[in-house]
């Protein structure tokens, strides 16, 4: 991909939302200088702060200046402003494209044609762009999938014109660039699979100054949905022995802070 083609692709991607510059790939390495690790993905982190808001724009003039200032930079679109993305990942043991195909087969219908980006990984991974649906905060990745990510509020997705560490460029799929197809709506059948589970209705606690009674009631109700289950209540002799060796606040009925902390978080 020539420099001119790269700039054209990046500017075209600005139709999908505000862009922000990321560190690029130079000679197979991230230009920030850090080696690849579990926490550091080369070419996939921003140049600096403010990338979700102040340092992101759809203005072509500003983006052109950034391309000139950072000729090796990758660029990412900030999701949740103009579009959201279904990220179909493919790696050993995971295949988002196959998972989507299985969902479509089960539903008896497919996703509509929409702006699609082919990952530079060369694995066949894809980014599918869609208009922001209503109640987007109540959506998550489709149930039962492990390799489909739903990129929505203020997340970043690498755009065409950017270079993957493999040496391949991210590109728009043939016939599916913003110049060739409109960004589609997510159909109802997949939105139904993306609904978050409604929060479980919980019994309210009694208003009381009796802390011992409150702990008993909270323990009876159990931890909030999604939180870690509390540890067992330790027998009194264990609690007392612990308090002799570890300075800690004593709670009603000799319950230690570690036993009851879940009730307050």
């Amino acid at each position: 991909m020539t420099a001119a083609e790269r700039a054209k692709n990046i500017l075209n991607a600005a139709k999908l939302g505000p862009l922000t510059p990321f560190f690029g790939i130079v000679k197979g390495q991230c230009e920030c200088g850090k080696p690849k690790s579990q926490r550091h993905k080369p070419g996939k982190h921003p140049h600096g702060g403010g990338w979700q808001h102040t340092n992101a724009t759809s203005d072509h003039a500003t983006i052109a200046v950034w391309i000139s200032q950072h000729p090796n930079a990758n660029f990412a679109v900030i999701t949740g402003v103009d579009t959201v993305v279904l990220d179909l990942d493919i790696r050993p043991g995971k295949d988002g494209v196959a998972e989507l195909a299985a969902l479509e087969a089960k539903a008896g219908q497919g996703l509509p044609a929409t702006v699609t980006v082919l990952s530079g990984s060369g694995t066949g991974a894809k980014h599918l762009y869609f208009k922001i649906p209503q109640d987007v905060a109540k959506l998550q990745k489709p149930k039962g999938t492990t390799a489909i990510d739903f990129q929505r509020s203020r997340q970043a997705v690498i755009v065409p014109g950017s270079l993957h560490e493999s040496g391949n460029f991210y590109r728009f799929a043939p016939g599916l660039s913003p110049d060739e197809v409109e960004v589609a709506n997510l159909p109802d059948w997949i939105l139904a699979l993306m609904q978050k589970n409604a929060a479980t209705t919980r019994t309210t606690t009694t208003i009381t100054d009796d802390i011992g009674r409150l702990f008993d009631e909270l323990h009876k109700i159990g931890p909030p949905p999604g939180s870690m289950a509390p540890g067992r209540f330790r027998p009194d002799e264990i609690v007392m022995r612990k308090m002799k060796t570890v300075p800690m606040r004593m709670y009603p009925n000799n319950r230690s802070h570690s036993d009851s902390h879940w009730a307050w978080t």
Side-chain angles (χ1 to χ4, degrees):
M1 185 178 292
T2 67
E5 291 172 335
R6 176 175 174 274
K8 180 180 179 181
N9 274 273
I10 294 170
L11 292 172
N12 204 8
K15 297 175 181 177
L16 303 172
L19 303 185
T20 190
F22 272 35
F23 284 102
I25 300 295
V26 178
K27 296 182 179 179
Q29 304 293 323
C30 187
E31 63 177 343
C32 75
K34 295 180 181 179
K36 181 178 181 178
S37 67
Q38 187 174 2
R39 298 185 62 181
H40 175 249
K41 298 180 180 180
K44 293 187 177 181
H45 60 103
H47 265 270
W51 59 271
Q52 293 174 307
H53 301 280
T54 58
N55 200 36
T57 183
S58 299
D59 179 66
H60 279 205
T62 302
I63 296 170
V65 170
W66 286 343
I67 294 173
S68 176
Q69 292 175 337
H70 309 288
N72 297 312
N74 283 345
F75 282 81
V77 63
I78 307 303
T79 58
V81 180
D82 296 307
T83 56
V84 293
V85 175
L86 286 181
D87 183 353
L88 313 183
D89 193 17
I90 296 180
R91 62 183 64 192
K94 292 187 176 183
D95 190 333
V97 174
E99 285 185 342
L100 178 59
L103 293 180
E104 291 176 323
K106 185 175 182 179
Q109 52 190 314
L111 294 181
T114 191
V115 174
T116 301
V117 173
L118 304 179
S119 170
S121 64
T123 61
K126 300 177 180 180
H127 303 156
L128 310 182
Y129 285 81
F130 294 93
K131 295 178 181 177
I132 301 175
Q134 290 185 337
D135 297 325
V136 66
K138 297 180 180 180
L139 300 177
Q140 61 185 358
K141 69 179 184 179
K143 293 180 178 66
T145 64
T146 61
I148 300 178
D149 287 326
F150 181 48
Q151 310 289 0
R152 50 183 181 92
S153 301
R154 296 290 174 178
Q155 295 171 293
V157 178
I158 302 296
V159 301
S162 301
L163 186 64
H164 190 270
E165 63 175 320
S166 65
N168 300 313
F169 282 95
Y170 290 76
R171 300 175 182 272
F172 287 112
L176 296 176
S177 74
D179 290 336
E180 299 167 300
V181 67
E182 292 187 5
V183 174
N185 289 306
L186 282 163
D188 290 341
W189 69 266
I190 197 166
L191 287 174
L193 297 175
M194 296 171 67
Q195 295 292 325
K196 292 181 179 178
N197 294 327
T200 304
T201 301
R202 303 185 68 230
T203 305
T204 57
T205 56
T206 304
I207 298 176
T208 177
D209 291 328
D210 185 340
I211 301 301
R213 179 183 175 189
L214 179 61
F215 272 122
D216 287 336
E217 191 167 343
L218 288 171
H219 185 238
K220 182 179 179 182
I221 294 173
S227 67
M228 295 182 64
R232 71 186 190 282
F233 281 128
R234 297 178 175 87
D236 288 347
E237 64 272 14
I238 295 178
V239 174
M240 294 304 296
R241 185 166 66 248
K242 183 177 181 181
M243 286 183 174
K244 290 180 181 179
T245 58
V246 180
M248 64 192 309
R249 181 178 175 182
M250 189 171 181
Y251 283 83
N253 300 325
N254 291 333
R255 295 172 183 171
S256 70
H257 176 72
S258 60
D259 286 325
S260 54
H261 181 67
W262 66 269
W264 306 102
T265 56

